[in-house]
């Protein structure tokens, strides 16, 4: 019996010892699309033993036989598996539970970080959001989808430059546009000269519009300075990080996309055609007539845009290749307006030395051409003639815009009244004032990295280097035929005018970056990045333009035919060269993956500072993040999961500096085109200029609810931008014309909200919805009150604590403390009697005090996106709105003056304009006083900028591969943009802009209208 007990006890102890012995389990965590799930939690149930998967979804854990492993990741349903005897590999596929909160995102300099560790607001946009409803400039596809971002599309038409402002306008004189970053490398977003003011009308595209949206993998929008601190001065206004596609391991995959889009004008002013014009008049104040049926929309064509794209991907475990070809071809609303872009991309990624050494090389070649891209203004703008076309003339005759000149044996323009607005026959402008632009861009990027030490897939130390060259050559031609009005021929009334401008932009960028990621024990983790970069940019332009020689050939457009000695002929070159050298670093420390402290620093040596006492500038950032739900006990966390699934709070402060503009510290000579002489810049010498600095603070809360089916994110921010460099006039007795001073404090504070959710009804129906809201208050806290004359400190530099910026009509943008960077004031008004009634017998006069009309800056922007899917069918729509602010329409003023607006016909039908006191003013007298060309009374042409629209909608159907013989996956869709303007009080689209400059938004002067479009697309994947 005793022997039996001893044997039984021995066997029991042996079995217990066997069961207690740990074994090593390895595996990979995948999602339902067989893609790796990085940073998934793998834990042994009932213990504190656990680990996380690496960037490729791989994990390793040591557990006893019989243990239960739980695999979990935010956005997926948790899975449990029991470890069996002899098991060494355990692969798990997690099923999607709701919208996924990406655990790893690409941040500054291409550094990958856990999203839950970020102390700032980073909003991700997937590739299908850019291509579901396409735009020739894909940046427009972000509108309404990102909180805190104000996106305004260009009036230049297809491919036009877009203005992107994040968290408000900050700089008085500097750029307020966001930075674009491609695969970790900042991009110089070149734009050509844009038409501004009363006359100039040249439209333009921009560098970011060159990209093929089908080459983009994903985008991350960093709205604050904290997020973009590592990028330096260029990112003071936020950054859009773009990750492009690479080749994938596996068999050859081919994708083809073809789409077509047709567009008509969206928002137009109201016209009249029941009152004609007197003979030879350019205005329509004639007698009443039968309706001519003419509508300026008759001048516009149906815009058509065709896009075709081919992509290829192939690779094995050591070498992957991606290639693409794309073509975008468009005809605009205006006759003879064209836009073409061709993209070619090739990229190869490879590894060596058992994966320790990685190479990445890519090349892009882009050809872009546009013709007659017009944005606004009077000169060479066909909308002037189309809108103001005298209503007594037969519109059918407008098509006969030229006639034969028997004496000269050439075609010249048919007679057409010029009037007060440099008006020409709109078809003559379209076909005989031809402006073309061609850009050829070549981008080569190379990257190499080496893993110095690898402790695990998520713990390693590596070093890498990147280089990119981005070179663009461009050619711009301006051809004005004989018969163009004399004002536009610069004296060349006999044979025409020609301009040929050629130039190039080149950016060289190189950086070196080392990354260190290591856990220390169970509680501590460290992620450190240290690097250096050099960015070198050059720009060169050669101008040749002027009237054609009187003894030359008519309408022969080449340089040798230009009148070399003409007063307005211009032959000159200009350019600039900037370079910034930088060192930077960041350190992230985490405790139990519950608390994350991140500190960054960057020091720049910018060439603009040469000659200044300040040779460089340093700026830091610090952020703290706490994962609230992970701080709870396991039992409390599990009990809350069905209600509150995830919560984190974040806090960040950052400082970003921007250098002042080039050539301020070293006086330069400039060439005066008027008298053809060199002139020395006459400004007071400057040596103690400092960089412009933006201090940014933000606090935010990120939460997931109802088993991750609902997400809510809110951020409060405040920024203050100081040391603004401003030009100040000096008295003639000083010996200088002006000087530059540094002052000012512009504050922006606001709230960003993002709310999203997923509703599943049954097995086949899903509704995904997302709401974004961004509110911003812009305020000038300090301006120029305390500035003194550097030669006489007792004398103030400015008479008033204000700055006068752009003016238009009788209005002026005036910056004052307590106001915004977009406040508009009216300078003149009608003369009024003692009772306030208009005295039309007298001319308008200056006001005693400027009348504030409002601000062109919005108070808030919002978007509401909805996507539905049922089996193979999907459909969706998005509403967006701008709230607050004002816009001004100089177009409406010109229409009133010319008598072609509906309101002038209504007034004539009513017997005149009733202005109070029983007084009736003849319609022509009233509107030609109110809308007069050079200084129209802006207060009567100011409108609310608030608008609500159905921005986009789509219906798509997926045809599975199995339906097509397992050959191809097919997606067919119908799309629409700007389908319905639900609310708008302005006579034009308030979200359209003529220029990306600081003070051009909200001002309409014969801008090309925005468009309503319908499209069809087909996507195939072989």
């Amino acid at each position: 019996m005793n022997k039996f007990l001893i044997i039984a006890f021995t066997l029991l102890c042996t079995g217990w010892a066997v069961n207690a012995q740990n074994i090593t389990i390895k595996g990979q965590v995948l999602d339902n699309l067989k893609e790796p799930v990085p940073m998934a939690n793998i834990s042994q149930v009932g213990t504190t033993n656990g680990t996380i998967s690496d960037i490729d979804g791989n994990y390793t854990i040591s557990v006893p036989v019989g243990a239960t492993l739980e695999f979990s990741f935010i956005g997926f349903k948790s899975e449990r598996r029991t470890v069996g005897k002899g098991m060494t590999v355990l692969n798990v596929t997690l099923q999607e539970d709701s919208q996924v909160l990406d655990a790893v995102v690409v941040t500054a300099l291409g550094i990958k970080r856990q999203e839950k560790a970020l102390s700032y607001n980073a909003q991700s946009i997937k590739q299908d959001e850019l291509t579901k409803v396409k735009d020739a400039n894909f940046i427009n596809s972000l509108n309404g989808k990102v909180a805190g971002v104000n996106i305004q599309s260009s009036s230049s038409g297809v491919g036009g430059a877009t203005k992107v402002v994040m968290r408000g306008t900050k700089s008085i004189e500097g750029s307020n546009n966001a930075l674009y970053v491609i695969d970790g490398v900042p991009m110089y977003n070149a734009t050509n000269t844009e038409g501004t003011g009363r006359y100039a009308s040249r439209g333009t595209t921009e560098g970011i519009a060159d990209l093929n949206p089908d080459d983009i993998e994903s985008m991350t929008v960093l709205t604050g300075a904290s997020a973009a601190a590592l990028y330096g001065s260029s990112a003071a206004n936020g950054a859009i990080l773009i990750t492009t596609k690479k080749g994938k391991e596996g068999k050859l995959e081919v994708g083809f996309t073809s789409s077509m889009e047709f567009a008509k004008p969206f928002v137009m002013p109201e016209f009249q055609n029941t009152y004609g014009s007197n003979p030879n008049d350019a205005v329509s104040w004639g007698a009443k007539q039968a309706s001519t049926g003419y509508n300026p929309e008759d001048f516009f064509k149906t815009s058509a845009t065709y896009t075709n794209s081919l992509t290829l991907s192939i690779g094995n475990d050591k070498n992957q290749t991606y290639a693409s070809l794309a073509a975008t071809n468009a005809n605009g609303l205006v006759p003879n307006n064209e836009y073409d872009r061709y993209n070619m991309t090739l990229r190869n990624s490879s590894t060596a030395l058992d994966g320790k050494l990685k190479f990445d090389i890519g090349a892009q070649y882009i050809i872009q051409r546009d013709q007659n891209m017009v944005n606004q203004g009077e000169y060479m703008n066909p909308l002037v003639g189309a809108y103001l076309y005298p209503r007594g003339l037969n519109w059918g005759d407008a098509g006969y815009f030229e006639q034969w000149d028997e004496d000269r044996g050439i075609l010249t323009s048919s007679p057409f009244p010029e009037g007060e607005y440099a008006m020409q026959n709109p078809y003559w402008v379209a076909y005989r004032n031809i402006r073309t632009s061609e850009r050829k861009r070549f981008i080569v990027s190379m990257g190499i990295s080496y893993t110095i030490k690898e402790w695990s897939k998520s713990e390693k130390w590596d070093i890498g280097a990147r280089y990119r060259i981005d070179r663009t050559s461009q050619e711009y031609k301006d051809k004005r035929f004989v018969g163009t009005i004399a004002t536009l021929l610069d004296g060349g009334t006999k044979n025409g005018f020609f301009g040929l401008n050629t130039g190039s932009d080149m950016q060289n960028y190189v950086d070196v970056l080392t990354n260190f990621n290591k856990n220390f024990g169970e509680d501590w983790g460290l992620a450190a990045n240290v690097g250096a970069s050099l960015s070198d940019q050059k720009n060169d332009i050669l101008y040749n333009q002027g009237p054609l020689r009187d003894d030359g050939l008519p309408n022969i457009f080449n340089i040798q035919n230009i009148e070399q000695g003409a007063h307005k002929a211009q032959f000159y070159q200009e350019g600039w060269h900037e370079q910034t050298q930088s060192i930077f670093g960041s350190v992230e420390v985490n405790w139990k993956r519950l608390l994350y402290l991140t500190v960054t620093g960057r020091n720049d040596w910018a060439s603009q500072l040469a000659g200044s006492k300040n040779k460089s500038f340093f700026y830091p950032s610090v952020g703290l993040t706490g994962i609230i739900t992970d701080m709870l006990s396991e039992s409390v966390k599990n009990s809350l999961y069905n209600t509150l699934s995830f919560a984190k709070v974040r806090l960040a402060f950052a400082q970003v500096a921007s250098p002042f503009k080039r050539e301020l510290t070293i006086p330069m000579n400039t060439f005066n085109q008027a008298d053809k002489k060199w002139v020395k810049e006459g400004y007071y010498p400057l040596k103690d200029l400092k960089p412009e600095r933006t201090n940014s603070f933000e606090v935010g809360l990120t939460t997931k609810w109802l088993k991750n089916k609902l997400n809510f994110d809110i951020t409060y921010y405040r920024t203050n931008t100081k040391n603004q460099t401003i030009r100040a006039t000096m008295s003639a007795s000083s010996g200088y014309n002006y000087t530059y001073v540094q002052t000012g404090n512009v504050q922006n504070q606001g709230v960003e909200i993002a709310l999203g959710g997923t509703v599943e009804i049954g097995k086949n129906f899903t509704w995904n919805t997302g709401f974004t809201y961004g509110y911003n208050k812009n305020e000038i806290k300090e301006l120029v009150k305390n500035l003194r004359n550097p030669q006489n400190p007792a004398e103030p530099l400015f008479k008033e604590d204000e700055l006068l910026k752009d003016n238009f009509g009788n209005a002026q943008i005036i910056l004052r403390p307590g106001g915004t960077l977009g406040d508009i004031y009216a300078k003149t008004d009608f003369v009024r009697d003692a009772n306030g009634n208009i005295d039309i017998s007298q001319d308008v006069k200056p006001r005693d005090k400027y009348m504030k009309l409002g601000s062109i800056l919005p108070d808030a922007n919002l978007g509401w996106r909805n996507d539905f899917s049922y089996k193979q069918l999907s459909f969706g729509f998005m509403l967006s709105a701008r709230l607050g602010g004002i816009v001004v329409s100089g177009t409406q003023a010109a229409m009133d003056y010319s008598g072609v607006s509906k309101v002038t016909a209504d007034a004539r039908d009513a017997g005149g304009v009733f202005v109070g006191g029983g007084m009736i003013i003849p319609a022509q007298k009233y509107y030609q006083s109110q809308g007069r060309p050079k200084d129209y009374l802006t207060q009567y042409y100011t409108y609310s900028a608030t608008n609500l629209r159905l921005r986009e909608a789509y219906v798509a159907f997926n045809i599975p591969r199995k339906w097509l013989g397992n050959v191809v996956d097919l997606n067919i869709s119908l799309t629409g943009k700007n389908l319905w303007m639900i609310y708008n009080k302005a006579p034009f689209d308030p979200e359209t802009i003529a220029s990306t400059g600081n003070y051009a938004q909200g001002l309409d002067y014969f801008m090309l209208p925005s468009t309503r479009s319908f499209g069809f697309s087909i996507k195939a994947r072989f």
Side-chain angles (χ1 to χ4, degrees), residues 97-257:
D97 189 30
S98 69
Q99 288 183 317
V100 180
L101 176 65
D102 295 329
V104 175
V105 294
V106 177
T107 62
L109 301 169
I111 299 169
K112 292 181 179 180
R113 293 186 59 198
Q114 286 182 266
E115 187 170 16
K116 71 176 185 178
L118 300 181
S119 59
Y120 47 79
N121 192 12
Q123 301 173 72
S124 297
I125 302 293
K126 295 182 179 179
Q127 195 258 354
D128 65 339
E129 292 298 323
L130 304 176
T131 58
K132 194 176 292 180
V133 182
K134 274 189 174 181
D135 193 283
N137 186 342
F138 70 91
I139 294 298
N140 290 319
S141 300
L142 296 177
N143 213 321
K145 298 171 184 175
V146 184
V149 180
N150 185 30
I151 298 175
Q152 293 179 286
S153 58
S154 172
S155 62
S156 296
V158 179
T162 298
K163 186 175 179 66
V164 180
V165 176
M166 301 182 182
R167 295 186 175 177
T169 303
K170 303 175 182 67
S171 182
I172 295 173
E173 299 290 351
S175 172
N176 287 286
N177 298 323
L179 170 72
Y180 298 103
V181 180
I182 314 297
D183 294 325
V185 177
M187 187 195 79
Y188 171 58
N189 189 35
T191 57
N192 294 317
T193 303
E194 300 172 287
T196 57
R198 178 180 175 184
Y199 301 110
S201 63
R202 179 182 174 183
T204 183
T205 183
E206 60 181 336
I208 193 64
D210 290 341
L211 268 65
N212 173 18
D214 288 316
D215 286 342
I216 296 174
E217 184 71 34
S218 64
M219 295 176 63
T220 303
V221 180
L222 309 179
T223 52
S226 300
L230 281 182
Y231 279 120
S233 58
S234 302
N237 302 311
I240 296 178
L241 313 185
I242 299 172
T243 302
T244 61
K245 292 180 179 178
K246 294 181 177 181
K248 295 181 179 180
E249 181 180 345
K251 65 179 183 179
L252 175 66
E253 184 176 289
V254 179
F256 176 73
T257 302

Side-chain angles (χ1 to χ4, degrees), residues 18 66 104 106 121 207 296 354 361 364 462 523 586 679 709 728 794 796 850 872 900 1017:
V18 170
V104 175
V106 177
N121 192 12
D354 295 326
I361 184 170
Q364 296 183 61
D462 62 31
D523 295 340
S586 70
V679 179
K709 288 183 171 61
Y850 280 6
Q872 308 303 324
V900 297
S1017 71

Side-chain angles (χ1 to χ4, degrees), residues 675-738:
D675 57 14
K676 305 295 189 293
K677 293 181 180 179
W678 286 99
V679 179
K680 187 174 183 178
E681 287 285 349
Y683 60 83
Y684 186 82
L686 307 163
K687 292 297 180 184
D688 194 27
L689 290 179
K690 301 177 179 64
E692 180 178 291
R693 289 189 180 270
T694 297
N695 295 325
S696 171
F697 166 80
E698 69 176 87
V699 59
L701 175 69
T702 301
T703 58
K704 292 274 186 175
W705 303 80
L706 306 177
K707 294 183 180 180
N708 300 312
K709 288 183 171 61
L710 180 69
N711 63 77
F712 175 75
D713 191 295
I714 184 170
T715 302
Y716 166 79
Y717 64 85
R718 186 181 69 241
T719 67
N720 290 83
T721 304
K722 303 178 180 181
N723 288 351
Q724 308 233 21
T725 304
I726 298 167
R727 178 168 163 163
T729 302
M730 296 184 69
S731 62
S733 60
S734 68
Y736 299 97
N737 298 326
Y738 58 91

Side-chain angles (χ1 to χ4, degrees), residues 50 108 248 306 359 452 498 664 666 689 715 859 976 978:
K248 295 181 179 180
Y306 305 93
F359 301 93
I452 300 171
F498 179 57
L664 290 191
I666 303 175
L689 290 179
T715 302
D859 295 329
N978 281 338

Side-chain angles (χ1 to χ4, degrees), residues 336 371-372 430-436 477-479 481:
N336 209 28
Q371 178 170 281
N372 289 356
Y431 291 100
R432 295 297 179 261
N433 291 169
I434 301 174
R435 292 179 285 184
T436 60
K477 293 181 180 180
D478 184 351
K479 302 176 182 179
F481 285 67

